[in-house]
Amino acid sequence: MASWRLLVVLVTVGLPLVCLARYDDSKFGIFIHWGVFSVPSYSCGGVAAEWYWNGLETGAGNGCIQEFHNKTYGPNFKYADFAKGFSAELFDAARWANLFKKSGAKYVVLTSKHHEGFTNWPSPQSWNWNSADVGPGQDNVGLVTEAVRAGGLRMGLYHSLFEWFNPLYVTDRSNNGSTTVYVDTILQPQLHDIVNRYKPEIIWADGDWEMYDTYWKSKEFLAWLYNDSPVRDTVVTNDRWGKDDSCKHGGYWTCTDRYNPGVLQEHKWENCFTIDSRTWGYARNGGIGDYQTIDQLLQELISTVACNGNFLLNVGPTSDGIITPVYEERLLQIGTWLDFNGEAIYATKPWRSQNDTASSVWYTAPKWSNSTAYAIFYAWPAESVLRLTQVVPQSPNMVAQLLGYRGNLAWKLNGNTLAIVLPEIAHLPPLLQVQTAFTIKLVGVQ
Ligand SMILES: *[C@@H]1O[C@H](CO)[C@@H](O)[C@H](O)[C@H]1NC(C)=O
Ligand SMILES: *[C@@H]1O[C@H](CO)[C@@H](O)[C@H](O)[C@H]1NC(C)=O
Ligand SMILES: *[C@@H]1O[C@H](CO)[C@@H](O)[C@H](O)[C@H]1NC(C)=O
Ligand SMILES: *[C@@H]1O[C@H](CO)[C@@H](O)[C@H](O)[C@H]1NC(C)=O
């Protein structure tokens, strides 16, 4: 592991610092899970929709996927036959990009290939199992990448290292990685291909956990990526590059899905989170209760950013290419919230204190100042007085403002409790009145 560590040190301290800073400033991105799994689009028994094929083969979820499949398509219907139904006939990349932009997200990460092995671009290593040869008959990665960039957002690609049922991989694995036929003939050519073709600003690896990074040849790939590839000056990566690497090595850390430790982490990290709590790929079944409310999503975003994380929020488009109205509404709601409160999110750094138990408050601070802090609170306090215990004014001239509202707020220090008198809700702009989280900007704090 020593040389790996050395490489990672070179990699994270060398060239990509600028890129990591830009990634850090952006704070909020959109994750997209789209593939053949979007066709059956069914989740049950804890099996996420994008794991449908796995559920079909292994009986995971107490056989509930098999049961649904047998009943709906018949036991002889092969998973591969779903690809024909990946129609994308209502897909409009510019419309997706416009929605992402309105959400306030600054980057997008799309599944170039999930564990099923189907590629969303015309991969020569995935003949007849890619979005150009079968299904939509188009380069999904290319179309989304172009539209996202035209909208002024940065583009990243998710790539699954393993493919559950690829016979080459299954054989390598049964040889405990002493053969690397799958890595040499499929994985590495594909990783190089997506970098050379689309020049992604993020490579989001996954599906790494069954084998060590030596098998995947992750070190070799990352050395090329950071030293010689066309994105060497712009790319950042995550940490899922082999068994035991996650949360220890690589670029920013993802650790687990929905990782949100709730306390400051020194190493840059990301909370990948999903709007439909059951699944990352679209699921037709279920109901509104399965989708996170805007309050829940804002609490994830805020607590994540306060503790040095980025928030990567997932949508699962349908096989015909729609981002359904529930997803759409959540993204637009976040965008409205960020219109008022974005100053307390983008380009911020963690403050000396992350939270304040007094009233569910999270703190951030702008990178440009050491004497300014933002206190973001979830619920409007009783009698419109917000009490904070972590703030120390530099002087009686400290200024307290509510983002979105003009004018300074009166405050009083009593011991270590700072009481801030909020305006009357009725005096706020109408769109601010209906928010469930608000920001106090404090200028002149110690
Ligand atoms: C579905 O059909 C397959 C093939 O006939 C069978 O092996 C499996 O037990 C069935 N599963 C369920 C849950 O009905
Ligand atoms: C499998 O390979 C790993 C990594 O090379 C090694 O640590 C482990 O001992 C091997 N296991 C067996 C059963 O040979
Ligand atoms: C912040 O949250 C942690 C974890 O819940 C808690 O232990 C701590 O007391 C909180 N800090 C303050 C200042 O309330
Ligand atoms: C804030 O403080 C840190 C640590 O002392 C220092 O490195 C940095 O330059 C300061 N930033 C500003 C904007 O004053």
Side-chain angles (χ1 to χ4, degrees), residues 262-263 353-358 361-363 389-390:
V263 290
S353 181
Q354 277 61 61
N355 60 312
D356 202 318
T357 37
V361 172
W362 291 94
Y363 293 103
T389 64
Q390 298 298 297

Side-chain angles (χ1 to χ4, degrees), residues 410-430:
W411 56 267
K412 207 163 97 188
L413 195 61
N414 188 350
N416 67 351
T417 300
L418 179 75
I420 301 170
V421 182
L422 303 176
E424 279 181 47
I425 292 189
H427 293 165
L428 305 182

Side-chain angles (χ1 to χ4, degrees), residues 349 366-371:
K349 61 188 176 188
K367 281 190 178 166
W368 45 264
S369 165
N370 281 335
S371 56

Side-chain angles (χ1 to χ4, degrees), residues 323-337:
I323 294 171
T324 58
V326 179
Y327 285 109
E328 184 184 15
E329 181 180 57
R330 291 297 174 274
L331 296 189
L332 294 174
Q333 287 170 317
I334 295 175
T336 303
W337 188 81

